[in-house]
Amino acid sequence: MSNITARLTRFLAKRNHQHFINGAYQDSYGEKQIAVINPATEVEIGKIPLGNKEDVDAAVRAAKLAFHHNSDWRKMSPDDRGKILYRFSELISDHSESLAQMVTIENGKLIKDALSSDAGGAAKTFRYYAGWTTKIEGETLDISQPQKGGRQNFAFTKREPIGVVAAIVPWNFPISIAAWKIAPALAAGCTVVLKPSEETPLSALLLAEIAMEAGLPPGVLNIVTGDGRTTGACLTAHKDVKKITFTGSTYTGKIIGKTAMENVTGVSLELGGKSPAIVFNDAHDLDFAANGVAAGIFRNQGQVCVAGSRVYIQKKVYDKVLTDISHAAQKMKISHGFDESAQLGPLVSKGHLQKVCNYINSGIEEGAELITGGTENPLDKGYFLKPTIFSALDNEKSIISEEIFGPVLVAVPFDDMEDALRLANDSQFGLAATVWTKDISKAMTMVNRLEAGVVYVNSPVRSDPGLPLGGYKQSGIGRELGKVGIYNYTTLKSVNIVY
Ligand code: NAD
């Protein structure tokens, strides 16, 4: 293991962690705790409180007070708010090693990915939205209401911060996905209560320390730790929450959507995916495409919402491309995340490993051909799995219709573009897709007809703060990141002045 930073050593020495409310770590009102496990070693690294209703009430109260009274966050000039967010992004970069090490310890992912995607991604997102504080605009509108007595009118819209935001995030990119929500919400002038995943709560608590150092006023960002059923449910049902922003499974998203409607709370849902990669005969470079498809599914152990987990390969090149992807998979070095030569780390938890193995077993039972991988753990300790590839003839199997969220790829051959579109769009999900061809007309036809919120041509999908992300169909409601990302946290007021 690389040397743990002094900052992280001090943070981890605490063992019994606390919520972060109103600018300070605070004990829970309850007694219950959840153990946080290092998935590479299976060793407990600390405990977090299982937040109950009183904890959630305290966090929402702090956020509401900070929004309305205590801090000048929403009234602060956009420039001053932007300066604090920019400072936060700089401090995340300064402490990226501690943050990345924390993510690797609690999530298992490779340290280079934790540095680039998690710490690096969070810093980039705060930097991006720091610049947006000064660019939130309404419009002037020429409306057609007649005015009596020679009067005139002036109509315009203005955007206002929506209020207290509940942000609920998954474990696969613990701090970068949290940043996708916190940064635009704070930039808009909102205050936030974050509930990180119970699998990976510690990096968020460490991020809170850094937020305070950046000068974020108390109550502007609060963190309540706990599970979904108790803590998450209390938070989403809270009457003082004005916006819920959720990233996680479609199953949980549906529960949260119903709760939101009971209180008529605004809601954005970033949900699951089963994203297709489509490789045509005329892909510019078939090796490049095969490596791109492998990277698109095996990065982060396949625990990526936009992972290309089904690959459709045109018949003429099916055997070659599938063989190349399989070779790329077989060559991957499987080891713990601090091993700098590792290419695949452990899955996040024992339960998740079991879920992925169950899918592999059902793929075998349903008659898909196992090309490489399987359920055997390649190491003695930790929740590891070999990259696994199936070949199938159609979409009629659970491994190709359901989200597995692990290093499992299913390949299916196709005849022509219509066939590829039929197979790719035949899914309850619609998050992302990749297309591999050098024919620009074909690429554009696919772009236009694929039912997916994000389409990449000749590259695996990557996120960027400037590029909106979100899904068609059961992959979600709304978009985050980019310009639309900030409007998630504003509400529109229409004004007409007669003079
Ligand atoms: P999950 O739905 O089990 O949990 C996500 C979060 O919701 C966790 O913090 C959990 O504690 C909380 N939660 C669970 N039940 C809840 C409830 N009833 N009320 C309130 N909160 C509740 O998902 P996961 O296993 O943590 O993450 C994996 C899923 O996330 C995958 O489906 C993946 O596709 C999805 N995901 C989507 C995106 C995207 O941008 N669309 C990005 C990353 C992950």
Side-chain angles (χ1 to χ4, degrees):
M1 192 179 281
S2 51
N3 289 337
I4 298 300
T5 64
R7 176 169 203 144
L8 185 55
T9 305
R10 179 184 47 71
F11 177 80
L12 286 173
K14 193 168 168 184
R15 303 291 304 176
N16 289 304
H17 294 271
Q18 296 162 292
H19 303 303
F20 181 81
I21 298 174
N22 206 23
Y25 290 114
Q26 305 220 349
D27 283 337
S28 175
Y29 284 92
E31 299 286 312
K32 291 189 183 152
Q33 291 181 304
I34 301 175
V36 184
I37 308 290
N38 179 334
T41 60
E42 305 183 28
V43 170
E44 183 185 307
I45 48 179
K47 286 190 167 66
I48 50 152
L50 194 163
N52 59 20
K53 187 172 178 311
E54 285 163 293
D55 296 322
V56 170
D57 283 347
V60 174
R61 202 178 316 120
K64 190 178 170 186
L65 275 171
F67 183 71
H68 288 293
H69 307 293
N70 279 8
S71 86
D72 289 330
W73 188 247
R74 68 188 288 211
K75 293 185 216 126
M76 192 181 279
S77 79
D79 184 48
D80 285 343
R81 220 165 44 230
K83 272 193 246 166
I84 294 178
L85 294 183
Y86 190 77
R87 204 176 308 135
F88 193 10
S89 85
E90 293 282 89
L91 286 178
I92 294 172
S93 297
D94 292 350
H95 296 285
S96 59
E97 212 181 339
S98 302
L99 287 164
Q101 288 179 345
M102 187 64 256
V103 170
T104 293
I105 292 171
E106 65 180 356
N107 169 283
K109 71 174 63 187
L110 308 184
I111 186 71
K112 70 172 168 36
D113 290 342
L115 272 168
S116 63
S117 300
D118 286 271
K124 244 170 136 175
T125 303
F126 276 99
R127 196 155 56 239
Y128 174 79
Y129 280 110
W132 267 108
T133 57
T134 48
K135 296 162 195 75
I136 299 172
E137 295 171 342
E139 291 173 303
T140 57
L141 300 154
D142 283 335
I143 62 172
S144 306
Q145 293 169 356
Q147 304 298 341
K148 290 192 178 135
R151 292 182 180 86
Q152 296 180 57
N153 78 295
F154 178 64
F156 64 97
T157 57
K158 64 192 287 277
R159 288 193 176 269
E160 298 180 346
I162 198 161
V164 175
V165 171
I168 300 189
V169 295
W171 43 260
N172 60 333
F173 291 95
I175 53 172
S176 57
I177 292 182
W180 292 357
K181 299 176 183 315
I182 300 168
L186 299 190
C190 296
T191 56
V192 174
V193 179
L194 171 75
K195 194 205 83 63
S197 166
E198 54 274 44
E199 311 282 3
T200 56
L202 300 181
S203 49
L205 289 172
L206 183 59
L207 189 69
E209 265 187 22
I210 296 169
M212 293 309 292
E213 287 164 22
L216 212 61
V220 170
L221 172 63
N222 307 276
I223 300 177
V224 187
T225 62
D227 67 1
R229 208 179 313 161
T230 307
T231 321
C234 288
L235 182 58
T236 51
H238 203 293
K239 300 260 188 310
D240 288 332
V241 165
K242 298 299 172 212
K243 169 84 192 198
I244 301 165
T245 168
F246 171 74
T247 298
S249 63
T250 298
Y251 174 82
T252 309
K254 288 180 186 178
I255 297 173
I256 289 179
K258 281 186 198 148
T259 308
M261 281 312 104
E262 272 162 29
N263 293 334
V264 198
T265 306
V267 64
S268 305
L269 303 172
E270 299 289 335
L271 308 179
K274 188 78 188 177
S275 299
I278 301 140
V279 183
F280 285 97
N281 288 341
D282 61 2
H284 183 61
D285 173 344
L286 287 175
D287 295 338
F288 177 74
N291 284 324
V293 171
I297 176 64
F298 298 127
R299 185 170 81 100
N300 211 35
Q301 295 66 249
Q303 303 165 135
V304 179
C305 56
V306 293
S309 50
R310 336 175 244 154
V311 60
Y312 299 104
I313 307 170
Q314 202 158 10
K315 279 186 178 155
K316 198 171 132 196
V317 295
Y318 186 77
D319 288 342
K320 177 187 165 31
V321 174
L322 184 54
T323 306
D324 287 352
I325 299 172
S326 305
H327 284 163
Q330 285 155 352
K331 278 195 298 201
M332 293 182 90
K333 178 170 176 194
I334 302 171
S335 184
H336 62 82
F338 286 105
D339 176 346
E340 285 180 5
S341 62
Q343 292 166 298
L344 204 76
L347 273 70
V348 72
S349 66
K350 191 174 182 180
H352 189 59
L353 174 67
Q354 190 55 53
K355 182 184 151 202
V356 176
C357 287
N358 291 346
Y359 271 113
I360 296 175
N361 284 330
S362 52
I364 295 167
E365 279 159 25
E366 289 170 14
E369 185 189 351
L370 182 66
I371 305 290
T372 188
T375 56
E376 188 198 330
N377 188 334
L379 302 181
D380 298 339
K381 206 178 272 167
Y383 311 128
F384 293 90
L385 199 59
K386 287 183 191 159
T388 296
I389 301 177
F390 283 99
S391 173
L393 291 178
D394 52 43
N395 275 355
E396 305 302 312
K397 295 186 174 28
S398 57
I399 51 167
I400 205 154
S401 58
E402 294 173 26
E403 182 183 48
I404 300 176
F405 218 58
V408 181
L409 176 69
V410 189
V412 177
F414 70 88
D415 291 319
D416 54 20
M417 188 162 61
E418 283 307 318
D419 199 26
L421 277 164
R422 177 185 62 79
L423 289 162
N425 287 337
D426 172 27
S427 173
Q428 59 177 317
F429 299 109
L431 191 56
T434 64
V435 179
W436 303 80
T437 177
K438 63 173 177 287
D439 179 338
I440 187 70
S441 304
K442 199 181 281 175
M444 279 311 298
T445 305
M446 295 298 286
V447 164
N448 292 334
R449 292 181 57 193
L450 279 166
E451 294 165 1
V454 183
V455 181
Y456 268 53
V457 177
N458 296 327
S459 165
V461 177
R462 293 275 181 267
S463 65
D464 185 280
L467 193 66
L469 176 68
Y472 281 36
K473 302 191 270 189
Q474 299 216 9
S475 289
I477 297 177
R479 295 289 179 272
E480 65 187 356
L481 299 178
K483 181 179 180 176
V484 294
I486 199 159
Y487 292 152
N488 281 335
Y489 304 100
T490 64
T491 186
L492 203 62
K493 185 174 277 174
S494 297
V495 184
N496 188 27
I497 298 173
V498 177
Y499 61 97

